[in-house]
Amino acid sequence: MFSLYRILLYLYPPACRSEFGEEMLAVFRAAQTEAWKKDTFMHTRFCAREITGLVAGALSEHVRTIAVFDRPPLIFSRRFNMRSEFRFPKITVTLMTIILAGVVLAIEKATAIEASVPDSYQHVGPIQPAHFTFLPTMLVIMGGACLAGAIGWAILFALHRSGLHRLAEFDPASHQGSGGRTHA
Amino acid sequence: MESLSVTEPVLLILLSLADHPRHGYAILQDVQDMSDGRVVLSTGTLYGALRRLLDGAWIERVEEEDTPRGRQSYRLTARGRRNLQLEISRLKHLTRVATLRVARKEM
């Protein structure tokens, strides 16, 4: 159980794991020693509670990492801040590529199955298979993603060059007092 | 700094640290004792709550030399104590209102 707990700790974000992982293991070991003294039912309940608590805790930490709770919504903040504090985890690219490859492979497999099934329903007629192959499809999708990324980067770069981000430091009160014209 | 919702486990953890600093396992046991065994925290739940309380500066680590990580103690900060008192006042008010309402209904 202790080894399983140690493995499940890897579900937590690395920063959280390095901060609390060792401590959690020590507390778990102490709690497990206590649970062993009780009957089998209590020990089973303890194991189930610990595993569900750990998985739920890891999920909650990941959600917290993705969502930025400490920033007020832009609509209420009255300030426009160009600095983004959000960063995708490094593993995101790998996971997205795997998911994308899975989707494309599924499409290819479905196309192959569709081609192998004999045309039994005469009213509709044969469904023409899409002439996709794996590599060109991947290239087209990756190209599209790169293009979208480049456009997004260009927009952000243009906004940055325009000096819009300096509005975050703009204080209307001090500007008015130091030399701005006031209207009676 | 994120705003904290004081759920029952969080309230019990704060109460556990109200009298003196405690380490993780002592908090687990104290929470169970205070709630008569009704609230049993898992380590995942405990450290999720402790992390949020640390981020909100409601609690802090007690810096002790030669302390192993498993015996790391936590204590309430002034902010945490103030918020705990506010929460207790809120609960007192709620209990008073609830008592009055129930008594009025019984008459």
Side-chain angles (χ1 to χ4, degrees):
Chain A
M1 181 62 195
F2 187 73
S3 307
L4 176 65
Y5 189 88
R6 189 192 286 274
I7 292 166
L8 285 176
L9 272 180
Y10 280 92
L11 292 173
Y12 275 81
C16 190
R17 198 170 61 242
S18 64
E19 189 178 357
F20 293 110
E22 205 180 321
E23 207 175 325
M24 287 171 79
L25 274 174
V27 173
F28 173 77
R29 189 185 280 276
Q32 193 191 20
T33 309
E34 189 66 30
W36 269 118
K37 292 175 186 168
K38 296 169 185 169
D39 56 13
T40 315
F41 176 68
M42 292 300 286
H43 187 245
T44 311
R45 272 186 68 184
F46 165 78
C47 293
R49 188 174 58 240
E50 283 297 328
I51 289 171
T52 50
L54 201 65
V55 173
L59 193 66
S60 161
E61 287 299 324
H62 279 289
V63 169
R64 181 185 161 271
T65 309
I66 292 168
V68 185
F69 289 118
D70 56 347
R71 292 181 66 189
L74 191 63
I75 193 167
F76 300 122
S77 67
R78 296 182 185 177
R79 300 179 85 182
F80 185 82
N81 196 347
M82 285 289 285
R83 287 172 298 174
S84 170
E85 291 167 13
F86 175 76
R87 296 284 182 275
F88 279 103
K90 285 176 187 170
I91 200 167
T92 307
V93 176
T94 315
L95 287 174
M96 286 181 74
T97 310
I98 291 168
I99 291 166
L100 189 63
V103 169
V104 172
L105 278 172
I107 292 170
E108 289 290 316
K109 187 73 181 169
T111 309
I113 291 168
E114 188 272 331
S116 68
V117 173
D119 181 24
S120 58
Y121 194 62
Q122 297 297 329
H123 296 290
V124 176
I127 300 167
Q128 295 300 318
H131 297 288
F132 283 172
T133 51
F134 181 72
L135 193 60
T137 311
M138 280 291 285
L139 286 174
V140 167
I141 293 170
M142 293 296 276
C146 288
L147 185 67
I151 291 169
W153 182 84
I155 292 169
L156 286 174
F157 182 75
L159 282 171
H160 186 75
R161 290 283 294 178
S162 72
L164 200 59
H165 62 289
R166 294 197 192 100
L167 285 175
E169 282 85 39
F170 179 69
D171 185 2
S174 66
H175 182 72
Q176 202 170 32
S178 63
R181 268 187 278 175
T182 53
H183 300 281
Chain B
M1 197 179 292
E2 69 191 63
S3 61
L4 267 167
S5 57
V6 184
T7 56
E8 189 180 11
V10 170
L11 178 65
L12 288 168
I13 290 169
L14 289 172
L15 286 173
S16 176
L17 299 176
D19 51 355
H20 59 80
R22 284 178 211 269
H23 55 80
Y25 185 57
I27 297 172
L28 279 185
Q29 288 182 314
D30 196 38
V31 164
Q32 198 171 343
D33 291 344
M34 271 192 291
S35 63
D36 289 330
R38 195 171 47 82
V39 178
V40 184
L41 299 176
S42 69
T43 49
T45 310
L46 172 70
Y47 279 93
L50 287 179
R51 204 263 314 134
R52 287 197 299 277
L53 290 168
L54 280 168
D55 282 357
W58 289 37
I59 62 169
E60 61 188 1
R61 286 195 174 92
V62 180
E63 300 297 335
E64 291 169 326
E65 286 183 7
D66 302 330
T67 306
R69 288 297 293 268
R71 307 290 292 182
Q72 175 73 63
S73 294
Y74 299 90
R75 68 175 162 219
L76 281 186
T77 59
R79 178 193 171 96
R81 193 168 292 280
R82 196 168 55 246
N83 286 327
L84 177 61
Q85 281 164 351
L86 284 173
E87 185 62 19
I88 291 168
S89 304
R90 192 185 68 80
L91 288 173
K92 275 181 186 170
H93 174 72
L94 187 65
T95 310
R96 201 164 50 243
V97 170
T99 309
L100 283 173
R101 289 275 174 109
V102 172
R104 206 178 298 161
K105 186 78 179 172
E106 282 172 353
M107 280 197 300

